[in-house]
Amino acid sequence: MGPSVAIVGAGIGGLSTALALRRIGLQAQVYEQADQLGEVGAGIGLWPGALRSLAEIGVSPQFWDLPRCTFREAETASPDGRTLVRFDVSDVSPDQPGFVLRRADLHRCLVDSLDPGSITVDARVVAVDADAGRLTLADGPRVEADIVIGADGLRSVVRSALFGTQEPRYSGETCYRGMAAVRVADTGMLREVQGPGLRCAVHPVD
């Protein structure tokens, strides 16, 4: 029997890690503070390397049938429309273009790829004893594990247990993401416009 693994956080990182561990014969239990797994986020771009990784760890077959738009070129442009840099994605991966799709669809496929019993919701981790391999949940129970993996986001309890509590350092950038029901031409290009202090990208998701 292999080591016991606890993963804190059931986002894309935590679920992908659980799936990758299962691929090599290790069962992990994922602990998520939300009381249910639902739709979070807007669109997400997956480059060829990410798609190959998802295939390798055994993402649910339905992932490959999700509504999506592919991109085979990537470009950065100035506000007046000048191309600053452009490259062909097929130079990186001739057989696999990139995808843009709904983040919630990717997340749902990762959830569906795992045994439902391997994800515990409404389980907020409030303390981690790194030396003992012990998690303390908000409602009292303690969880023992040989390996604890932190995938619990910006104010990670796992990171704080290892390196001390530190407030996130603001980089000076604020990002807004969203989806709108509008007609956008699918050009097969992932394009970002960069101007003084601002940048923007619009891409269809289906």
Side-chain angles (χ1 to χ4, degrees), residues 13 22 28 101 108 116 119 128 132-133 185 204:
R22 189 186 70 179
L101 71 165
R108 187 181 67 253
I119 304 173
V128 177

Side-chain angles (χ1 to χ4, degrees), residues 30-110:
V30 183
Y31 296 90
E32 169 56 43
Q33 66 178 347
D35 59 5
Q36 60 182 355
L37 300 175
E39 294 195 9
V40 177
I44 186 170
L46 298 176
W47 289 73
L51 293 167
R52 284 196 298 272
S53 296
L54 286 169
E56 187 171 332
I57 64 177
V59 70
S60 169
Q62 70 189 44
F63 170 78
W64 306 103
D65 296 324
L66 288 175
R68 62 180 186 262
C69 284
T70 61
F71 60 91
R72 295 185 179 277
E73 289 186 290
E75 179 181 271
T76 301
S78 64
D80 61 5
R82 291 180 297 112
T83 297
L84 301 176
V85 63
R86 175 187 290 181
F87 67 90
D88 191 335
V89 176
S90 63
D91 289 343
V92 179
S93 178
D95 302 324
Q96 177 64 71
F99 290 176
V100 176
L101 71 165
R102 290 175 176 80
R103 182 193 181 280
D105 287 346
L106 167 61
H107 187 264
R108 187 181 67 253
C109 283
L110 290 170

